[in-house]
Amino acid sequence: KAGVTQTPRYLIKTRGQQVTLSCSPISGHRSVSWYQQTPGQGLQFLFEYFSETQRNKGNFPGRFSGRQFSNSRSEMNVSTLELGDSALYLCASSVPGLNSPLHFGNGTRLTVT
Amino acid sequence: TQLLEQSPQFLSIQEGENLTVYCNSSSVFSSLQWYRQEPGEGPVLLVTVVTGGEVKKLKRLTFQFGDARKDSSLHITAAQPGDTGLYLCAGAGGNTGKLIFGQGTTLQVKP
């Protein structure tokens, strides 16, 4: 079974630009979560999608948005990029269930200059 | 706000030593998951503990869930350089409905 695929792996953008990151979950997984990882803050939850609906949202500004398509693939968008948005963005897929583990992709490393 | 505090944040030891990483919270979780993340990769699940007092072993790694389901520990016996990485604990089933991650413990095992 193919794992979670995130594209692109690396991205360099300048302040004020916008960016779209993509995530393809494991086949059969309908839940997709996004996390931001930085050395200072650790893994911070962005949002979770299930069957094209946002089910949960973290404490991030409205510049961070996402969506999920009917094939469970997901995208997240960050508009008006700030230097502080530089981070590793991780996507994870899972099956429904309270204790279901997350299967992470290898992330997209975003650098904002 | 639910928080999971991991300690220590950094650990640098020699090959063959033992170590314990702690994950503590004031909140009750339905389960605790432990992940390991290596540079350039996403976290990978090591184990899930569900029952209070539960102990699970994965080769030289021993995981324990506290009786009250508020804390967990990871003990590594005779650490190897291949154990190097970022260890993350994550609590599930809290009142937020999402998985809460600790800050992580960076382990370096020197040969």
Side-chain angles (χ1 to χ4, degrees), chain A residues 5-73:
Chain A
T5 304
Q6 290 188 248
T7 56
R9 283 299 306 272
Y10 302 95
L11 212 43
I12 300 175
K13 292 285 188 178
T14 56
R15 275 179 298 176
Q17 287 186 312
Q18 74 156 14
V19 67
T20 299
L21 312 182
S22 180
C23 172
S24 293
I26 290 173
S27 177
H29 286 192
R30 291 163 62 193
S31 176
V32 173
S33 301
W34 288 89
Y35 288 82
Q36 181 195 66
Q37 187 176 34
T38 58
Q41 299 295 318
L43 267 165
Q44 301 288 307
F45 174 76
L46 280 156
F47 25 67
E48 179 195 5
Y49 286 88
F50 179 78
S51 292
E52 303 178 67
T53 301
Q54 189 180 86
R55 195 156 67 166
N56 228 323
K57 190 177 190 305
N59 296 324
F60 278 82
R63 301 185 296 108
F64 291 80
S65 63
R67 59 178 176 167
Q68 187 180 33
F69 302 95
S70 58
N71 62 359
S72 294
R73 192 176 70 84

Side-chain angles (χ1 to χ4, degrees), chain B residues 12-16 79-81 84 108-111:
Chain B
S12 181
I13 60 172
Q14 293 294 135
E15 181 177 359
Q80 306 288 311
T84 292
Q108 181 188 46
V109 182
K110 293 179 275 190

Side-chain angles (χ1 to χ4, degrees), chain B residues 19-106:
Chain B
L19 66 117
T20 302
V21 176
Y22 299 93
C23 178
N24 296 302
S25 176
S26 57
S27 303
V28 176
F29 292 99
S30 64
S31 70
L32 245 293
Q33 301 172 10
W34 285 92
Y35 294 79
R36 181 170 72 203
Q37 183 178 19
E38 299 187 30
E41 299 181 6
V44 175
L45 179 75
L46 294 172
V47 79
T48 301
V49 284
V50 179
T51 307
E54 181 178 4
V55 176
K56 277 193 175 177
K57 292 194 174 185
L58 191 66
K59 295 183 183 177
R60 293 173 294 97
L61 279 61
T62 302
F63 304 85
Q64 184 161 9
F65 201 11
D67 291 340
R69 291 185 288 126
K70 293 182 179 181
D71 54 85
S72 182
S73 64
L74 156 61
H75 182 78
I76 301 179
T77 304
Q80 306 288 311
D83 296 328
T84 292
L86 175 67
Y87 288 82
L88 295 155
C89 66
N95 58 18
T96 62
K98 58 182 190 269
L99 205 60
I100 306 294
F101 279 86
Q103 291 284 78
T105 296
T106 299

